[in-house]
Amino acid sequence: MKDKLFILTNSVNPKVVGRKQPQVEAIYSEDVTYTSIGDHILEKLDPAEVILPEIKLKTPNAILTDYISNNLTVYPFQILISEKTLGILKKYTGAPHQIFNANLIHTKGSTRYYILHYLPSTVSYLDFQRSQFVRVYWTEKTTESFSAKNYQEFVNTPGLGGAKQVKALYLKSNIQLPDFFPVSPPGIFLVNEDIANAINQENVKGVCLIPFEEGEDFTASIFEKTMRIENPTWKGFTNA
């Protein structure tokens, strides 16, 4: 891997994003059948047939930012971004994807936001041959290694009571990586250094950029990685 990469994720700093996590909630109507994009991950969708709920900022404790944290099942990879953020990404070459409009309601009215929907080739960036996988048994505080030759084999491998995690993540070195792309597992969004610099220069609100290293351990949550970047004095969870 030649180019420096960064994990792009949402900030957990309450001064930036507020004290309500996730920042938004969905508004549903009983009379509407909505499209669950999460049920169509890696499938191309017809934009005319995609029906999404409106989303509402959890005021007064959440702050409107350019990168919104959410746990809405219709939003894969939890990527919900403003026009400013989308404008930056459009200047670069990303993994094959579709863009859908999302209406975000807040105290001053509503604002158009965007979600990214990725297509099948996005599972091809992880090097399954070199990467290492484990089942994590949280209650017993133990792990069990297993191997997967490809994405489908990882998905089909039984959890057997443990959470399937990536112990050491490697990207393929024999392909040209896009400027921005998701990696699943472990479910992260990577951008190159040019995009990371543009995000900082444009003062994109609500993001955290975490330097990515080959062989990185993802048994720890992205929350923990983010905390160590935004709050270097954090000592970790007390019960860890």
Side-chain angles (χ1 to χ4, degrees), residues 2 35 49 62 86 93 138 151 154 165 181 218 224 230:
K2 297 180 180 179
T35 305
E49 297 180 358
L86 180 61
T93 301
W138 302 112
Y151 176 78
F154 177 87
Q165 303 280 356
F181 57 99
F218 281 89
E224 293 177 70
E230 297 189 330

Side-chain angles (χ1 to χ4, degrees), residues 35-91:
T35 305
S36 178
I37 293 183
D39 292 339
H40 301 276
I41 291 177
L42 307 180
E43 297 178 15
K44 189 172 184 178
L45 298 174
D46 181 353
E49 297 180 358
V50 173
I51 303 175
L52 301 175
E54 292 185 318
I55 51 180
K56 182 180 180 181
L57 191 69
K58 292 182 178 179
T59 53
N61 295 318
I63 299 173
L64 190 65
T65 57
D66 295 303
Y67 193 105
I68 300 288
S69 65
N70 70 88
N71 63 354
L72 308 175
T73 58
V74 295
Y75 302 117
F77 301 106
Q78 299 191 7
I79 298 175
L80 178 60
I81 57 177
S82 69
E83 187 170 2
K84 176 194 282 189
T85 312
L86 180 61
I88 292 173
L89 295 180
K90 279 185 172 181
K91 298 176 182 178

